[in-house]
Amino acid sequence: MNSSTAEHFDLIVVGGGPSGSTLATLVAMRGHRVLLLEKETFPRYQIGESLLPATVHGVCKMLGVTEELEAASFTKKLGGTFRWGSNPEPWTFAFAISPKLAGPTSYAYQVERMKFDKILLDNARRKGVEVREESTVNDIVKDGERVTGLRYTDARGDVHEVSATIVADASGNLSNIHKHTGGKRVYSEFFQNVALFGYFEGGKRLPEPRSGNILSAAFDDGWFWYIPLSDTLTSVGAVIARDRADQIKGDPEKALLKLVDRCPEIRDMLSEARRVTEGPYGEIRVRKDYSYSNTTFWSPGLVLVGDAACFVDPVFSSGVHLATYSGLLAARSINSVLAGEIEEERSFAEFEQRYRREYGLFYEFLVGFYDLHHDEDSYFWQAKKITKTGETDIEAFVELVGGAASGEAALTGRRLVTAAEQLASAVDAAGADAAAGLDRPAPFFRSEIVGEVMQESARVQARAALGHELNDEDPLLSGGLVPSGDGMSWQVPTG
């Protein structure tokens, strides 16, 4: 094996998924030299197929891939449909309920990740990122306590050493690089679940206008996701408690079909379907212990983004949102450090605090959401109820589950809505509620957690549309920083 002379980059990103490609692109767009190392060759299979409006209309607009996403003809998702809680009938929410998501941004996509991730990675190349696929990272290089580069093996078996001002780990939940921050990965004691999932052709669709919605259906042993990826292809997965994992031993297909038979809503949707048995969707897969957070998200010269830092239960499809949002936050910090505008410690402290806040609010909300079945004998999730109520309503819920409630103008990707647009959206939302049989919000919509002011996601979307016109943000955190006008770096607030 040969070793090459070390190259130097401003940033090296490990992993070409949504967090890595987002981060790499936004740093390269500032003129910095960026290397992205990906161990696989795209397109490649990945789970996490249901997006939120904040990703589609915020981050993806900043990346410049809006037209490509539209051309890909992904299934449009107007909201979510649930058979969940004490209500025996399915209920639906629409993104259009929230003024921050109303009008042209009141939808997201259900995506085949093989296609979506390749769009983002190819875009990174076009924006100037040096992308090297089939490159496996072997080790981190340090100078004292600071990470200064890494060693990797390319497709031919040659070993290379590359150096960088900053290294970013975006290599996902199987990452080992995260250990070099000096912290450790802590798994949730509450979400100790196992997911068993596969793909079906010919599954039924919900009535219009909800045909593209994700369907989440609770049953005695856990819950199912049902994601319409195209007119005929559906992603179907069961999430059950780890202490009931003996139900999925042996033949995985028999185990999945047995669970389907125990959930009436999913059994009916798949009554005329057949399981895909060939190609990348032909395998039934298992994932376990997937809710966790690292005790630290960065150390000198190293930052963790996406699933390398944390992941939370998938019931509200927050995975790609958290991945791309963390990529945006990290890009701001790295751009600020590379430009010499803000010192590394302050810049990355802002990144970590904001990312932990977003993750923490999803986590805390989900704990309360899981506890709303009111059937202690039937369901495995037991947690504290959300005991305090505030002045919030279904709008706050939709902003949270739409990724548009964290205070980020750049995450809404749109100009301010007019009164007429808000009225039209309210009418559309009312129509969606009526179609779903909703005449009042479910009890958890009034929870204080849901009502917490998570406006940052909304700001990211607005910034994506307005660019430098948006410069009026207050710090999200006490004594913290604010985004620059274009949303790609930090600045010290004035006044």
mmCIF file of all heavy atoms in Angstrom, residues 48-60 69 77 79-80 93 95 101 105-111 116 214 314-322 324 358 362 397-405 411 457 461:
data_model
loop_
_atom_site.group_PDB
_atom_site.id
_atom_site.type_symbol
_atom_site.label_atom_id
_atom_site.label_comp_id
_atom_site.label_asym_id
_atom_site.label_seq_id
_atom_site.Cartn_x
_atom_site.Cartn_y
_atom_site.Cartn_z
ATOM 1 N N GLY A 48 -35.084 6.785 5.999
ATOM 2 C CA GLY A 48 -35.328 8.163 6.399
ATOM 3 C C GLY A 48 -35.896 8.929 5.217
ATOM 4 O O GLY A 48 -35.288 9.873 4.722
ATOM 5 N N GLU A 49 -37.091 8.554 4.765
ATOM 6 C CA GLU A 49 -37.578 8.972 3.455
ATOM 7 C C GLU A 49 -38.612 10.092 3.482
ATOM 8 O O GLU A 49 -38.998 10.597 2.441
ATOM 9 C CB GLU A 49 -38.180 7.746 2.756
ATOM 10 C CG GLU A 49 -37.162 6.646 2.535
ATOM 11 C CD GLU A 49 -37.707 5.243 2.757
ATOM 12 O OE1 GLU A 49 -38.638 5.086 3.591
ATOM 13 O OE2 GLU A 49 -37.201 4.313 2.109
ATOM 14 N N SER A 50 -39.047 10.500 4.652
ATOM 15 C CA SER A 50 -40.105 11.500 4.751
ATOM 16 C C SER A 50 -39.498 12.829 5.193
ATOM 17 O O SER A 50 -38.944 12.936 6.292
ATOM 18 C CB SER A 50 -41.166 11.032 5.755
ATOM 19 O OG SER A 50 -42.336 11.810 5.659
ATOM 20 N N LEU A 51 -39.580 13.836 4.337
ATOM 21 C CA LEU A 51 -38.957 15.125 4.617
ATOM 22 C C LEU A 51 -39.941 16.091 5.273
ATOM 23 O O LEU A 51 -41.147 15.850 5.298
ATOM 24 C CB LEU A 51 -38.424 15.744 3.320
ATOM 25 C CG LEU A 51 -37.448 14.912 2.491
ATOM 26 C CD1 LEU A 51 -36.875 15.752 1.359
ATOM 27 C CD2 LEU A 51 -36.335 14.329 3.346
ATOM 28 N N LEU A 52 -39.412 17.196 5.784
ATOM 29 C CA LEU A 52 -40.209 18.272 6.365
ATOM 30 C C LEU A 52 -40.065 19.524 5.498
ATOM 31 O O LEU A 52 -39.056 19.695 4.803
ATOM 32 C CB LEU A 52 -39.760 18.572 7.799
ATOM 33 C CG LEU A 52 -39.795 17.406 8.780
ATOM 34 C CD1 LEU A 52 -39.425 17.888 10.181
ATOM 35 C CD2 LEU A 52 -41.152 16.724 8.795
ATOM 36 N N PRO A 53 -41.047 20.421 5.548
ATOM 37 C CA PRO A 53 -40.957 21.642 4.738
ATOM 38 C C PRO A 53 -39.688 22.450 4.988
ATOM 39 O O PRO A 53 -39.163 23.086 4.070
ATOM 40 C CB PRO A 53 -42.209 22.427 5.161
ATOM 41 C CG PRO A 53 -43.191 21.378 5.557
ATOM 42 C CD PRO A 53 -42.360 20.315 6.234
ATOM 43 N N ALA A 54 -39.193 22.460 6.224
ATOM 44 C CA ALA A 54 -37.990 23.239 6.529
ATOM 45 C C ALA A 54 -36.795 22.793 5.706
ATOM 46 O O ALA A 54 -35.960 23.608 5.307
ATOM 47 C CB ALA A 54 -37.663 23.122 8.021
ATOM 48 N N THR A 55 -36.697 21.490 5.434
ATOM 49 C CA THR A 55 -35.603 20.987 4.601
ATOM 50 C C THR A 55 -35.826 21.352 3.139
ATOM 51 O O THR A 55 -34.930 21.859 2.456
ATOM 52 C CB THR A 55 -35.484 19.466 4.743
ATOM 53 O OG1 THR A 55 -35.180 19.132 6.094
ATOM 54 C CG2 THR A 55 -34.384 18.924 3.837
ATOM 55 N N VAL A 56 -37.042 21.119 2.646
ATOM 56 C CA VAL A 56 -37.337 21.320 1.231
ATOM 57 C C VAL A 56 -37.251 22.792 0.841
ATOM 58 O O VAL A 56 -36.602 23.158 -0.147
ATOM 59 C CB VAL A 56 -38.733 20.763 0.885
ATOM 60 C CG1 VAL A 56 -39.121 21.095 -0.542
ATOM 61 C CG2 VAL A 56 -38.761 19.253 1.114
ATOM 62 N N HIS A 57 -37.910 23.662 1.617
ATOM 63 C CA HIS A 57 -38.040 25.064 1.233
ATOM 64 C C HIS A 57 -37.018 25.967 1.904
ATOM 65 O O HIS A 57 -36.926 27.148 1.553
ATOM 66 C CB HIS A 57 -39.451 25.562 1.552
ATOM 67 C CG HIS A 57 -40.512 24.718 0.945
ATOM 68 N ND1 HIS A 57 -40.710 24.633 -0.417
ATOM 69 C CD2 HIS A 57 -41.420 23.882 1.512
ATOM 70 C CE1 HIS A 57 -41.709 23.799 -0.664
ATOM 71 N NE2 HIS A 57 -42.155 23.332 0.486
ATOM 72 N N GLY A 58 -36.282 25.435 2.873
ATOM 73 C CA GLY A 58 -35.249 26.204 3.545
ATOM 74 C C GLY A 58 -33.861 25.812 3.103
ATOM 75 O O GLY A 58 -33.240 26.450 2.250
ATOM 76 N N VAL A 59 -33.355 24.722 3.662
ATOM 77 C CA VAL A 59 -31.977 24.306 3.395
ATOM 78 C C VAL A 59 -31.763 23.992 1.921
ATOM 79 O O VAL A 59 -30.779 24.430 1.310
ATOM 80 C CB VAL A 59 -31.599 23.102 4.278
ATOM 81 C CG1 VAL A 59 -30.203 22.608 3.915
ATOM 82 C CG2 VAL A 59 -31.659 23.484 5.757
ATOM 83 N N CYS A 60 -32.673 23.229 1.317
ATOM 84 C CA CYS A 60 -32.478 22.849 -0.089
ATOM 85 C C CYS A 60 -32.524 24.050 -1.017
ATOM 86 O O CYS A 60 -31.838 24.077 -2.047
ATOM 87 C CB CYS A 60 -33.512 21.801 -0.508
ATOM 88 S SG CYS A 60 -33.192 20.159 0.193
ATOM 89 N N LEU A 69 -35.252 19.022 -7.294
ATOM 90 C CA LEU A 69 -36.223 18.282 -6.488
ATOM 91 C C LEU A 69 -37.574 18.256 -7.183
ATOM 92 O O LEU A 69 -38.263 17.227 -7.190
ATOM 93 C CB LEU A 69 -36.344 18.905 -5.100
ATOM 94 C CG LEU A 69 -35.104 18.836 -4.196
ATOM 95 C CD1 LEU A 69 -35.406 19.455 -2.840
ATOM 96 C CD2 LEU A 69 -34.618 17.402 -4.033
ATOM 97 N N LYS A 77 -46.090 15.732 0.044
ATOM 98 C CA LYS A 77 -46.623 15.418 1.366
ATOM 99 C C LYS A 77 -47.202 16.705 1.951
ATOM 100 O O LYS A 77 -46.468 17.653 2.224
ATOM 101 C CB LYS A 77 -45.476 14.871 2.219
ATOM 102 C CG LYS A 77 -45.693 14.825 3.718
ATOM 103 C CD LYS A 77 -44.378 14.422 4.389
ATOM 104 C CE LYS A 77 -44.456 14.520 5.902
ATOM 105 N NZ LYS A 77 -43.156 14.206 6.540
ATOM 106 N N GLY A 79 -48.958 16.866 4.805
ATOM 107 C CA GLY A 79 -49.060 16.785 6.256
ATOM 108 C C GLY A 79 -48.871 15.352 6.705
ATOM 109 O O GLY A 79 -48.124 14.590 6.088
ATOM 110 N N GLY A 80 -49.561 14.975 7.769
ATOM 111 C CA GLY A 80 -49.449 13.616 8.295
ATOM 112 C C GLY A 80 -50.797 13.107 8.767
ATOM 113 O O GLY A 80 -51.663 13.881 9.180
ATOM 114 N N PHE A 93 -53.193 16.229 10.204
ATOM 115 C CA PHE A 93 -52.808 17.642 10.258
ATOM 116 C C PHE A 93 -52.272 18.034 8.885
ATOM 117 O O PHE A 93 -51.757 17.205 8.138
ATOM 118 C CB PHE A 93 -51.763 17.909 11.348
ATOM 119 C CG PHE A 93 -50.376 17.437 11.007
ATOM 120 C CD1 PHE A 93 -49.502 18.247 10.289
ATOM 121 C CD2 PHE A 93 -49.934 16.183 11.401
ATOM 122 C CE1 PHE A 93 -48.219 17.813 9.970
ATOM 123 C CE2 PHE A 93 -48.659 15.737 11.090
ATOM 124 C CZ PHE A 93 -47.797 16.565 10.367
ATOM 125 N N PHE A 95 -49.734 20.953 6.855
ATOM 126 C CA PHE A 95 -48.728 21.997 7.044
ATOM 127 C C PHE A 95 -49.308 23.384 6.825
ATOM 128 O O PHE A 95 -48.859 24.359 7.418
ATOM 129 C CB PHE A 95 -47.552 21.783 6.089
ATOM 130 C CG PHE A 95 -46.762 20.529 6.359
ATOM 131 C CD1 PHE A 95 -46.526 19.618 5.342
ATOM 132 C CD2 PHE A 95 -46.259 20.258 7.620
ATOM 133 C CE1 PHE A 95 -45.797 18.461 5.572
ATOM 134 C CE2 PHE A 95 -45.533 19.103 7.866
ATOM 135 C CZ PHE A 95 -45.295 18.205 6.842
ATOM 136 N N LEU A 101 -45.822 28.194 7.215
ATOM 137 C CA LEU A 101 -45.674 27.201 6.157
ATOM 138 C C LEU A 101 -46.747 27.333 5.094
ATOM 139 O O LEU A 101 -46.834 26.510 4.194
ATOM 140 C CB LEU A 101 -45.738 25.792 6.756
ATOM 141 C CG LEU A 101 -44.674 25.457 7.799
ATOM 142 C CD1 LEU A 101 -44.960 24.086 8.413
ATOM 143 C CD2 LEU A 101 -43.289 25.488 7.190
ATOM 144 N N THR A 105 -45.255 27.030 0.369
ATOM 145 C CA THR A 105 -44.341 26.153 1.109
ATOM 146 C C THR A 105 -45.077 25.201 2.042
ATOM 147 O O THR A 105 -44.486 24.693 2.995
ATOM 148 C CB THR A 105 -43.330 26.989 1.924
ATOM 149 O OG1 THR A 105 -44.040 27.785 2.893
ATOM 150 C CG2 THR A 105 -42.518 27.896 1.029
ATOM 151 N N SER A 106 -46.341 24.942 1.772
ATOM 152 C CA SER A 106 -47.123 24.107 2.686
ATOM 153 C C SER A 106 -47.066 22.628 2.312
ATOM 154 O O SER A 106 -48.056 21.919 2.414
ATOM 155 C CB SER A 106 -48.574 24.586 2.723
ATOM 156 O OG SER A 106 -49.150 24.504 1.432
ATOM 157 N N TYR A 107 -45.901 22.187 1.859
ATOM 158 C CA TYR A 107 -45.736 20.771 1.549
ATOM 159 C C TYR A 107 -44.278 20.381 1.713
ATOM 160 O O TYR A 107 -43.377 21.224 1.787
ATOM 161 C CB TYR A 107 -46.178 20.472 0.104
ATOM 162 C CG TYR A 107 -45.286 21.085 -0.956
ATOM 163 C CD1 TYR A 107 -44.197 20.388 -1.470
ATOM 164 C CD2 TYR A 107 -45.531 22.377 -1.432
ATOM 165 C CE1 TYR A 107 -43.362 20.958 -2.425
ATOM 166 C CE2 TYR A 107 -44.705 22.948 -2.389
ATOM 167 C CZ TYR A 107 -43.620 22.233 -2.885
ATOM 168 O OH TYR A 107 -42.791 22.801 -3.817
ATOM 169 N N ALA A 108 -44.056 19.085 1.777
ATOM 170 C CA ALA A 108 -42.704 18.519 1.754
ATOM 171 C C ALA A 108 -42.726 17.382 0.731
ATOM 172 O O ALA A 108 -43.644 17.287 -0.087
ATOM 173 C CB ALA A 108 -42.297 18.031 3.139
ATOM 174 N N TYR A 109 -41.717 16.526 0.770
ATOM 175 C CA TYR A 109 -41.656 15.398 -0.149
ATOM 176 C C TYR A 109 -41.452 14.092 0.616
ATOM 177 O O TYR A 109 -40.807 14.068 1.675
ATOM 178 C CB TYR A 109 -40.482 15.534 -1.120
ATOM 179 C CG TYR A 109 -40.593 16.645 -2.131
ATOM 180 C CD1 TYR A 109 -39.651 17.668 -2.163
ATOM 181 C CD2 TYR A 109 -41.616 16.659 -3.083
ATOM 182 C CE1 TYR A 109 -39.731 18.681 -3.100
ATOM 183 C CE2 TYR A 109 -41.702 17.677 -4.026
ATOM 184 C CZ TYR A 109 -40.747 18.686 -4.028
ATOM 185 O OH TYR A 109 -40.815 19.691 -4.955
ATOM 186 N N GLN A 110 -41.990 13.013 0.053
ATOM 187 C CA GLN A 110 -41.572 11.656 0.396
ATOM 188 C C GLN A 110 -40.535 11.273 -0.656
ATOM 189 O O GLN A 110 -40.843 11.358 -1.853
ATOM 190 C CB GLN A 110 -42.747 10.676 0.360
ATOM 191 C CG GLN A 110 -44.026 11.164 1.015
ATOM 192 C CD GLN A 110 -43.987 11.098 2.534
ATOM 193 O OE1 GLN A 110 -42.930 11.028 3.153
ATOM 194 N NE2 GLN A 110 -45.151 11.136 3.155
ATOM 195 N N VAL A 111 -39.345 10.882 -0.256
ATOM 196 C CA VAL A 111 -38.267 10.705 -1.238
ATOM 197 C C VAL A 111 -37.659 9.311 -1.164
ATOM 198 O O VAL A 111 -37.592 8.696 -0.106
ATOM 199 C CB VAL A 111 -37.144 11.745 -1.037
ATOM 200 C CG1 VAL A 111 -37.684 13.155 -1.193
ATOM 201 C CG2 VAL A 111 -36.452 11.573 0.321
ATOM 202 N N PHE A 116 -32.582 11.262 -3.718
ATOM 203 C CA PHE A 116 -32.452 12.531 -3.006
ATOM 204 C C PHE A 116 -31.005 12.792 -2.603
ATOM 205 O O PHE A 116 -30.464 13.885 -2.839
ATOM 206 C CB PHE A 116 -33.363 12.526 -1.780
ATOM 207 C CG PHE A 116 -33.234 13.757 -0.913
ATOM 208 C CD1 PHE A 116 -33.788 14.958 -1.317
ATOM 209 C CD2 PHE A 116 -32.565 13.690 0.303
ATOM 210 C CE1 PHE A 116 -33.682 16.094 -0.519
ATOM 211 C CE2 PHE A 116 -32.454 14.818 1.110
ATOM 212 C CZ PHE A 116 -33.015 16.024 0.692
ATOM 213 N N ILE A 214 -47.652 10.736 5.115
ATOM 214 C CA ILE A 214 -47.191 9.583 5.870
ATOM 215 C C ILE A 214 -48.330 9.161 6.794
ATOM 216 O O ILE A 214 -49.035 10.003 7.367
ATOM 217 C CB ILE A 214 -45.925 9.907 6.684
ATOM 218 C CG1 ILE A 214 -45.416 8.658 7.403
ATOM 219 C CG2 ILE A 214 -46.153 11.049 7.659
ATOM 220 C CD1 ILE A 214 -44.053 8.857 8.088
ATOM 221 N N PRO A 314 -38.173 8.121 15.052
ATOM 222 C CA PRO A 314 -38.593 8.652 13.744
ATOM 223 C C PRO A 314 -40.065 8.967 13.582
ATOM 224 O O PRO A 314 -40.496 9.232 12.458
ATOM 225 C CB PRO A 314 -38.195 7.517 12.793
ATOM 226 C CG PRO A 314 -38.391 6.278 13.608
ATOM 227 C CD PRO A 314 -37.936 6.661 15.002
ATOM 228 N N VAL A 315 -40.867 8.980 14.641
ATOM 229 C CA VAL A 315 -42.304 9.088 14.460
ATOM 230 C C VAL A 315 -42.714 10.370 13.735
ATOM 231 O O VAL A 315 -43.689 10.389 13.003
ATOM 232 C CB VAL A 315 -43.057 8.954 15.802
ATOM 233 C CG1 VAL A 315 -42.803 10.127 16.715
ATOM 234 C CG2 VAL A 315 -44.548 8.751 15.571
ATOM 235 N N PHE A 316 -41.966 11.473 13.893
ATOM 236 C CA PHE A 316 -42.297 12.699 13.177
ATOM 237 C C PHE A 316 -41.305 13.026 12.068
ATOM 238 O O PHE A 316 -41.183 14.169 11.645
ATOM 239 C CB PHE A 316 -42.429 13.874 14.144
ATOM 240 C CG PHE A 316 -43.771 13.921 14.814
ATOM 241 C CD1 PHE A 316 -43.871 13.831 16.193
ATOM 242 C CD2 PHE A 316 -44.935 14.025 14.065
ATOM 243 C CE1 PHE A 316 -45.116 13.866 16.810
ATOM 244 C CE2 PHE A 316 -46.173 14.044 14.675
ATOM 245 C CZ PHE A 316 -46.269 13.967 16.048
ATOM 246 N N SER A 317 -40.572 12.021 11.604
ATOM 247 C CA SER A 317 -39.724 12.168 10.419
ATOM 248 C C SER A 317 -38.723 13.311 10.552
ATOM 249 O O SER A 317 -38.487 14.068 9.609
ATOM 250 C CB SER A 317 -40.588 12.393 9.168
ATOM 251 O OG SER A 317 -41.583 11.419 9.056
ATOM 252 N N SER A 318 -38.115 13.432 11.718
ATOM 253 C CA SER A 318 -37.204 14.553 11.971
ATOM 254 C C SER A 318 -35.768 14.269 11.551
ATOM 255 O O SER A 318 -34.922 15.156 11.638
ATOM 256 C CB SER A 318 -37.229 14.907 13.467
ATOM 257 O OG SER A 318 -36.833 13.782 14.254
ATOM 258 N N GLY A 319 -35.453 13.055 11.092
ATOM 259 C CA GLY A 319 -34.070 12.671 10.842
ATOM 260 C C GLY A 319 -33.352 13.534 9.822
ATOM 261 O O GLY A 319 -32.282 14.088 10.097
ATOM 262 N N VAL A 320 -33.923 13.690 8.615
ATOM 263 C CA VAL A 320 -33.262 14.488 7.582
ATOM 264 C C VAL A 320 -33.294 15.968 7.957
ATOM 265 O O VAL A 320 -32.363 16.720 7.657
ATOM 266 C CB VAL A 320 -33.906 14.240 6.206
ATOM 267 C CG1 VAL A 320 -33.293 15.156 5.145
ATOM 268 C CG2 VAL A 320 -33.709 12.786 5.795
ATOM 269 N N HIS A 321 -34.368 16.399 8.638
ATOM 270 C CA HIS A 321 -34.426 17.784 9.105
ATOM 271 C C HIS A 321 -33.261 18.080 10.048
ATOM 272 O O HIS A 321 -32.549 19.067 9.865
ATOM 273 C CB HIS A 321 -35.746 18.057 9.809
ATOM 274 C CG HIS A 321 -35.743 19.311 10.635
ATOM 275 N ND1 HIS A 321 -35.605 20.566 10.082
ATOM 276 C CD2 HIS A 321 -35.820 19.495 11.981
ATOM 277 C CE1 HIS A 321 -35.611 21.479 11.044
ATOM 278 N NE2 HIS A 321 -35.749 20.849 12.201
ATOM 279 N N LEU A 322 -33.071 17.232 11.052
ATOM 280 C CA LEU A 322 -31.976 17.453 11.996
ATOM 281 C C LEU A 322 -30.623 17.359 11.294
ATOM 282 O O LEU A 322 -29.693 18.098 11.615
ATOM 283 C CB LEU A 322 -32.060 16.448 13.143
ATOM 284 C CG LEU A 322 -33.213 16.661 14.129
ATOM 285 C CD1 LEU A 322 -33.311 15.486 15.102
ATOM 286 C CD2 LEU A 322 -33.053 17.963 14.895
ATOM 287 N N THR A 324 -29.845 18.030 7.992
ATOM 288 C CA THR A 324 -29.556 19.199 7.160
ATOM 289 C C THR A 324 -29.440 20.472 7.994
ATOM 290 O O THR A 324 -28.615 21.347 7.706
ATOM 291 C CB THR A 324 -30.626 19.379 6.075
ATOM 292 O OG1 THR A 324 -31.928 19.457 6.683
ATOM 293 C CG2 THR A 324 -30.601 18.206 5.098
ATOM 294 N N GLU A 358 -32.753 22.034 19.307
ATOM 295 C CA GLU A 358 -33.690 21.471 18.327
ATOM 296 C C GLU A 358 -33.937 19.990 18.612
ATOM 297 O O GLU A 358 -35.079 19.525 18.626
ATOM 298 C CB GLU A 358 -33.118 21.659 16.917
ATOM 299 C CG GLU A 358 -34.086 21.309 15.809
ATOM 300 C CD GLU A 358 -35.028 22.442 15.457
ATOM 301 O OE1 GLU A 358 -35.099 23.429 16.222
ATOM 302 O OE2 GLU A 358 -35.718 22.342 14.434
ATOM 303 N N PHE A 362 -37.660 18.137 20.056
ATOM 304 C CA PHE A 362 -38.278 16.973 19.414
ATOM 305 C C PHE A 362 -38.348 15.809 20.408
ATOM 306 O O PHE A 362 -39.368 15.129 20.516
ATOM 307 C CB PHE A 362 -37.476 16.553 18.178
ATOM 308 C CG PHE A 362 -37.940 17.199 16.905
ATOM 309 C CD1 PHE A 362 -37.290 18.312 16.394
ATOM 310 C CD2 PHE A 362 -39.029 16.703 16.211
ATOM 311 C CE1 PHE A 362 -37.708 18.913 15.223
ATOM 312 C CE2 PHE A 362 -39.464 17.301 15.038
ATOM 313 C CZ PHE A 362 -38.801 18.412 14.546
ATOM 314 N N PHE A 397 -48.043 23.018 16.901
ATOM 315 C CA PHE A 397 -47.743 21.613 16.614
ATOM 316 C C PHE A 397 -47.230 21.445 15.185
ATOM 317 O O PHE A 397 -46.226 20.777 14.940
ATOM 318 C CB PHE A 397 -49.004 20.767 16.826
ATOM 319 C CG PHE A 397 -48.920 19.380 16.261
ATOM 320 C CD1 PHE A 397 -48.193 18.393 16.905
ATOM 321 C CD2 PHE A 397 -49.571 19.054 15.076
ATOM 322 C CE1 PHE A 397 -48.111 17.116 16.383
ATOM 323 C CE2 PHE A 397 -49.501 17.789 14.545
ATOM 324 C CZ PHE A 397 -48.763 16.810 15.200
ATOM 325 N N VAL A 398 -47.916 22.069 14.247
ATOM 326 C CA VAL A 398 -47.527 21.927 12.847
ATOM 327 C C VAL A 398 -46.156 22.552 12.600
ATOM 328 O O VAL A 398 -45.344 22.011 11.849
ATOM 329 C CB VAL A 398 -48.597 22.548 11.930
ATOM 330 C CG1 VAL A 398 -48.119 22.578 10.481
ATOM 331 C CG2 VAL A 398 -49.890 21.749 12.044
ATOM 332 N N GLU A 399 -45.877 23.681 13.241
ATOM 333 C CA GLU A 399 -44.556 24.298 13.086
ATOM 334 C C GLU A 399 -43.469 23.378 13.613
ATOM 335 O O GLU A 399 -42.383 23.271 13.025
ATOM 336 C CB GLU A 399 -44.530 25.638 13.804
ATOM 337 C CG GLU A 399 -45.345 26.704 13.090
ATOM 338 C CD GLU A 399 -45.674 27.890 13.963
ATOM 339 O OE1 GLU A 399 -44.977 28.078 14.991
ATOM 340 O OE2 GLU A 399 -46.628 28.622 13.639
ATOM 341 N N LEU A 400 -43.740 22.697 14.707
ATOM 342 C CA LEU A 400 -42.753 21.777 15.261
ATOM 343 C C LEU A 400 -42.533 20.597 14.325
ATOM 344 O O LEU A 400 -41.398 20.312 13.922
ATOM 345 C CB LEU A 400 -43.214 21.276 16.637
ATOM 346 C CG LEU A 400 -42.368 20.154 17.270
ATOM 347 C CD1 LEU A 400 -40.931 20.612 17.449
ATOM 348 C CD2 LEU A 400 -42.962 19.729 18.600
ATOM 349 N N VAL A 401 -43.609 19.910 13.963
ATOM 350 C CA VAL A 401 -43.442 18.702 13.158
ATOM 351 C C VAL A 401 -43.114 19.018 11.707
ATOM 352 O O VAL A 401 -42.714 18.132 10.952
ATOM 353 C CB VAL A 401 -44.694 17.798 13.248
ATOM 354 C CG1 VAL A 401 -44.956 17.397 14.681
ATOM 355 C CG2 VAL A 401 -45.914 18.471 12.640
ATOM 356 N N GLY A 402 -43.253 20.300 11.315
ATOM 357 C CA GLY A 402 -42.845 20.717 9.985
ATOM 358 C C GLY A 402 -41.418 21.227 9.948
ATOM 359 O O GLY A 402 -40.919 21.608 8.888
ATOM 360 N N GLY A 403 -40.740 21.258 11.113
ATOM 361 C CA GLY A 403 -39.371 21.735 11.173
ATOM 362 C C GLY A 403 -39.274 23.241 11.059
ATOM 363 O O GLY A 403 -38.189 23.783 10.824
ATOM 364 N N ALA A 404 -40.382 23.957 11.240
ATOM 365 C CA ALA A 404 -40.403 25.403 11.014
ATOM 366 C C ALA A 404 -40.676 26.176 12.286
ATOM 367 O O ALA A 404 -41.181 27.285 12.243
ATOM 368 C CB ALA A 404 -41.453 25.753 9.978
ATOM 369 N N ALA A 405 -40.329 25.612 13.439
ATOM 370 C CA ALA A 405 -40.692 26.274 14.680
ATOM 371 C C ALA A 405 -39.507 26.679 15.529
ATOM 372 O O ALA A 405 -39.665 27.022 16.681
ATOM 373 C CB ALA A 405 -41.600 25.358 15.493
ATOM 374 N N LEU A 411 -35.294 28.733 7.358
ATOM 375 C CA LEU A 411 -35.937 27.426 7.239
ATOM 376 C C LEU A 411 -37.344 27.492 6.660
ATOM 377 O O LEU A 411 -37.947 26.457 6.420
ATOM 378 C CB LEU A 411 -35.995 26.715 8.600
ATOM 379 C CG LEU A 411 -34.709 26.056 9.072
ATOM 380 C CD1 LEU A 411 -34.957 25.284 10.357
ATOM 381 C CD2 LEU A 411 -34.114 25.149 8.027
ATOM 382 N N SER A 457 -36.498 27.543 12.599
ATOM 383 C CA SER A 457 -36.736 26.862 11.331
ATOM 384 C C SER A 457 -37.461 27.780 10.356
ATOM 385 O O SER A 457 -37.144 27.819 9.166
ATOM 386 C CB SER A 457 -37.564 25.588 11.558
ATOM 387 O OG SER A 457 -36.872 24.665 12.341
ATOM 388 N N GLN A 461 -36.117 29.266 6.409
ATOM 389 C CA GLN A 461 -36.854 29.269 5.153
ATOM 390 C C GLN A 461 -37.013 30.681 4.606
ATOM 391 O O GLN A 461 -36.836 30.925 3.411
ATOM 392 C CB GLN A 461 -38.234 28.628 5.342
ATOM 393 C CG GLN A 461 -38.188 27.117 5.343
ATOM 394 C CD GLN A 461 -39.578 26.513 5.296
ATOM 395 O OE1 GLN A 461 -39.987 25.877 6.231
ATOM 396 N NE2 GLN A 461 -40.295 26.712 4.211
#
